[in-house]
Amino acid sequence: MVKVRKSKVDPPCNGECPLSDCMRLIAGAWAPHVIWYLREGPRRFSELKGDIRAVTAKVLAERLRQLEADGVVHRQVMQTSPPTVEYSLTELGAELTPAIAAIVSVSERLKRQRGRLGA
Amino acid sequence: MVKVRKSKVDPPCNGECPLSDCMRLIAGAWAPHVIWYLREGPRRFSELKGDIRAVTAKVLAERLRQLEADGVVHRQVMQTSPPTVEYSLTELGAELTPAIAAIVSVSERLKRQRGRLGA
DNA sequence: CAGCATCCCTCATGATACTG
DNA sequence: CAGTATCATGAGGGATGCTG
């Protein structure tokens, strides 16, 4: 499911392609959003779902699992009366935020300067 | 690989989602690579194809066109005996490079520190 | 609340071949 | 060289419904 097979081809960058490697971490719809919304602290499943309105529970769960498997997010089950689950960024996940922040920063700058992205 | 497919759904963040907007710019396989390999200067079509071994001419052309449409790259037809085409980053494209560099940086750090991505 | 199971379906990607 | 045209593919995503 998290398989990205089909790699009969040689690695794009001979022997080393950090770009592809890291892009894989934030690949998949909404993955960047999850990281983004977790940057300020832990969030519960439904909170994230509320943050990212357009995502479905299925995809959100999938993404969360993939990110967890990749060591990007940590999953903490809270033994409360109605069991809740809190997700938070791991150290690895935290390292990703600057990259995402850079992307957001570019976009915001573009919006202000040229209104390009809206077109 | 590097699948960051664009979503057809409405922007998740009501009225403002810089993340989605910018992700769209670098969406599509190999788009980040193109930007990356153009960061040091103009490259011709076949040069890019050589840089990014695993990409097919079709996809590379598609990506270049999309990036051109987005104002990320500039296309310059050189009127030489065998007509060549040079691609270069626009100002907008140049703004994207720090973001990509951030991603690469994270990945390299991870590789050194934990060897996580290889697993 | 926090998921998982299913079905379906788009569409970007890849392979191959052809052209100016 | 620098593409374009076609065809095929299948993984990822969406919708809906069910469970502990």
Side-chain angles (χ1 to χ4, degrees):
Chain A
M1 190 169 267
V2 192
K3 285 288 291 181
V4 191
R5 336 143 12 182
K6 187 69 169 194
S7 50
K8 329 183 295 186
V9 293
D10 296 90
C13 331
N14 297 317
E16 175 199 353
C17 192
L19 188 48
S20 288
D21 289 338
C22 195
M23 285 305 284
R24 169 155 328 176
L25 283 183
I26 59 175
W30 314 118
H33 287 84
V34 169
I35 297 173
W36 183 250
Y37 284 113
L38 283 179
R39 79 192 184 285
E40 290 177 347
R43 300 286 280 165
R44 287 187 297 103
F45 185 87
S46 51
E47 287 176 332
L48 282 173
K49 195 158 168 356
D51 292 336
I52 317 170
R53 294 274 192 68
V55 77
T56 61
K58 175 202 163 193
V59 172
L60 179 57
E62 276 178 5
R63 222 38 59 219
L64 250 14
R65 274 167 196 289
Q66 179 195 298
L67 290 170
E68 187 190 1
D70 287 338
V72 173
V73 306
H74 173 67
R75 184 176 177 236
Q76 175 75 23
V77 179
M78 314 299 274
Q79 290 297 2
T80 56
S81 44
T84 59
V85 182
E86 269 194 4
Y87 292 92
S88 54
L89 290 181
T90 62
E91 200 180 300
L92 170 52
E95 294 190 41
L96 251 20
T97 61
I100 304 217
I103 294 176
V104 171
S105 153
V106 167
S107 183
E108 286 178 338
R109 190 142 50 112
L110 294 174
K111 254 184 185 162
R112 276 198 299 273
Q113 291 183 0
R114 319 172 55 169
R116 260 203 156 288
L117 296 176
Chain B
M1 2 161 72
V2 194
K3 286 198 189 282
V4 184
R5 312 176 65 175
K6 60 182 176 184
S7 72
K8 308 159 291 201
V9 296
D10 294 273
C13 331
N14 295 317
E16 176 200 351
C17 192
L19 187 48
S20 289
D21 289 339
C22 196
M23 286 304 285
R24 172 162 332 209
L25 283 183
I26 58 175
W30 314 118
H33 289 82
V34 169
I35 298 173
W36 183 250
Y37 283 113
L38 284 179
R39 79 193 185 283
E40 290 176 346
R43 299 285 282 166
R44 286 187 297 104
F45 186 87
S46 51
E47 287 176 332
L48 281 174
K49 196 160 169 354
D51 291 336
I52 316 169
R53 295 276 190 64
V55 78
T56 61
K58 177 201 162 195
V59 172
L60 179 55
E62 276 177 5
R63 220 40 57 222
L64 285 170
R65 286 228 221 85
Q66 178 195 296
L67 290 170
E68 188 189 2
D70 288 338
V72 173
V73 306
H74 174 65
R75 182 175 179 242
Q76 175 74 22
V77 178
M78 313 300 274
Q79 290 298 1
T80 56
S81 43
T84 60
V85 182
E86 269 195 4
Y87 292 91
S88 54
L89 290 182
T90 62
E91 199 180 300
L92 170 50
E95 294 190 40
L96 251 20
T97 61
I100 304 214
I103 294 177
V104 171
S105 152
V106 167
S107 183
E108 286 178 338
R109 191 144 47 115
L110 294 174
K111 255 184 185 163
R112 276 198 298 274
Q113 290 183 0
R114 319 174 53 168
R116 261 205 157 287
L117 296 175

